[in-house]
């Protein structure tokens, strides 16, 4: 088996563990998935141009992730219908933001999806607050006041192919308000509050990083999730043949 195919199988296994419907937990896969989502977002938020004086560091939120997962499981490439409704998408954020990526499993990773959203920066003019093409994914990724994110991925073969996946990220509080810049231009961290410290050009508030579990939060989105894991890949991984 070629190296690229072996790596692809490993990623498929990891995705199946993260995206699976089973109640069985895969804490290592879950943790790595969260880290990849956060690292991809924060690395890009730290290097916006023009520089941001008030860019907050994102941390993970299980409530946002549950909402993202519930909606991704419907396998619909459209925005969640709860977004315009007060407190319908999250138990504590009145409104949340959302980005959606759709593509093949072979090209998916949290970083590649977030990079694709961020690359819309070429269509955004900070001075005029205008877009020449779609750039709302970019402005949400770099919306300074959003400080929580939760993401999920689901395999949806019926949407275009055997290995099609949907990747959804939700943000709290929401961004993309009309006629407002996504952040304040200036020296990085120069507008951090007294409760915040500067970490890699981002304003970090450790109190806001506290994790909430929201055990009673059950967001909408109940359609069955479609999972396709290659049995041969699973066997090879489990037997550690490569």
């Amino acid at each position: 088996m070629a190296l690229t195919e072996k790596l692809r199988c490993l990623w498929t296994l990891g995705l199946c563990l993260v995206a699976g419907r089973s109640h069985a937990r895969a804490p290592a896969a879950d943790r790595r998935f969260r880290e990849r989502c956060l690292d991809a977002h924060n690395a890009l938020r730290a290097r916006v141009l023009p520089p941001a004086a008030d860019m907050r560091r994102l941390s993970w939120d299980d409530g946002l992730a549950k909402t993202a997962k519930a909606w991704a499981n419907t396998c619909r490439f459209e925005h969640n219908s709860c977004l315009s409704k007060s407190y319908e998408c999250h138990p504590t954020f009145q409104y949340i933001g959302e980005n959606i990526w759709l593509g093949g499993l072979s090209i998916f990773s949290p970083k590649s999806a977030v990079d694709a959203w961020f690359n819309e920066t070429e269509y955004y003019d900070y001075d005029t607050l205008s877009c020449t093409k779609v750039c709302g994914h970019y402005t949400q990724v770099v919306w300074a006041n959003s400080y929580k994110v939760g993401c999920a991925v689901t395999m949806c073969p019926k949407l275009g192919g055997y290995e099609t996946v949907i990747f959804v990220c939700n943000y709290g509080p929401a961004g993309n308000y009309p006629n407002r810049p996504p952040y304040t231009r200036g020296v990085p961290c120069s507008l951090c509050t007294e409760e915040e410290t500067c970490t890699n050009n981002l304003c970090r508030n450790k109190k806001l990083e506290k994790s909430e579990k929201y055990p009673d939060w059950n967001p909408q989105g109940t359609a069955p999730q479609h999972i396709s894991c290659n049995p041969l890949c699973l066997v090879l991984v489990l037997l550690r043949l490569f």
Side-chain angles (χ1 to χ4, degrees):
M1 179 179 289
L3 177 60
T4 54
E5 179 64 16
K6 294 175 184 178
L7 293 175
R8 179 173 167 275
C9 287
L10 282 171
W11 176 240
T12 300
L13 174 61
L15 181 61
C16 289
L17 290 173
V18 172
R21 295 182 64 202
S22 170
H23 292 294
R25 301 297 294 167
D30 287 346
R31 182 171 60 253
R32 183 58 181 150
F33 178 76
R34 292 195 299 267
E35 290 172 351
R36 287 187 174 188
C37 293
L38 286 172
D39 289 348
H41 278 89
N42 284 323
L44 295 174
R45 286 166 71 88
R47 64 178 183 86
V48 291
L49 290 174
D54 58 348
M55 187 69 73
R56 303 170 93 176
R57 183 177 186 268
L58 290 176
S59 59
W60 191 260
D61 182 82
D62 283 338
L64 292 171
K66 288 177 70 173
T67 299
K69 186 59 178 171
W71 189 249
N73 282 356
T74 67
C75 288
R76 295 159 62 185
F77 188 48
E78 58 189 60
H79 282 297
N80 198 319
S81 57
C82 73
L83 294 179
S84 62
K85 303 170 185 176
S86 178
Y87 293 108
E88 287 292 322
C89 284
H90 195 272
T92 59
F93 289 120
Q94 184 176 9
Y95 296 103
I96 66 171
E98 183 177 76
N99 278 343
I100 304 177
W101 182 92
L102 174 70
L105 172 62
S106 62
I107 62 172
F108 170 74
S109 70
K111 183 180 186 303
S112 66
V114 178
D115 281 351
W117 295 333
F118 183 84
N119 287 342
E120 292 176 4
T121 183
E122 66 178 297
Y123 308 126
Y124 181 72
D125 189 312
Y126 184 94
D127 294 322
T128 62
L129 307 182
S130 62
C131 303
T132 57
K133 293 184 180 180
V134 173
C135 67
H137 303 96
Y138 162 74
T139 51
Q140 178 58 83
V141 167
V142 301
W143 198 266
N145 197 46
S146 297
Y147 61 89
K148 287 288 187 181
V149 66
C151 304
V153 60
T154 290
M155 300 183 71
C156 300
K158 293 183 179 180
L159 266 179
Y162 180 71
E163 295 175 333
T164 300
V165 301
I166 275 186
F167 177 63
V168 179
C169 288
N170 288 135
Y171 306 83
N176 287 344
Y177 288 97
N179 302 317
R180 286 176 53 184
Y183 58 86
T184 303
R185 175 168 29 195
V187 176
C189 294
S190 59
L191 292 180
C192 293
T193 67
E194 292 183 358
E195 294 78 20
E196 295 171 331
T197 58
C198 185
T199 303
N200 297 327
N201 290 341
L202 301 175
C203 299
R204 181 178 185 181
N205 187 326
K206 292 186 177 180
K207 290 183 179 179
L208 294 180
E209 293 182 3
K210 181 181 178 181
S211 178
E212 300 287 347
K213 295 301 180 184
Y214 311 106
D216 300 323
W217 172 242
N218 295 302
Q220 65 176 3
T222 58
Q225 175 180 323
H226 305 285
I227 294 295
S228 298
C229 289
N230 186 324
L232 177 60
C233 282
L234 296 177
V235 171
L236 290 175
V237 171
L238 292 175
L239 294 180
R240 308 181 77 174
L241 294 181
F242 54 88

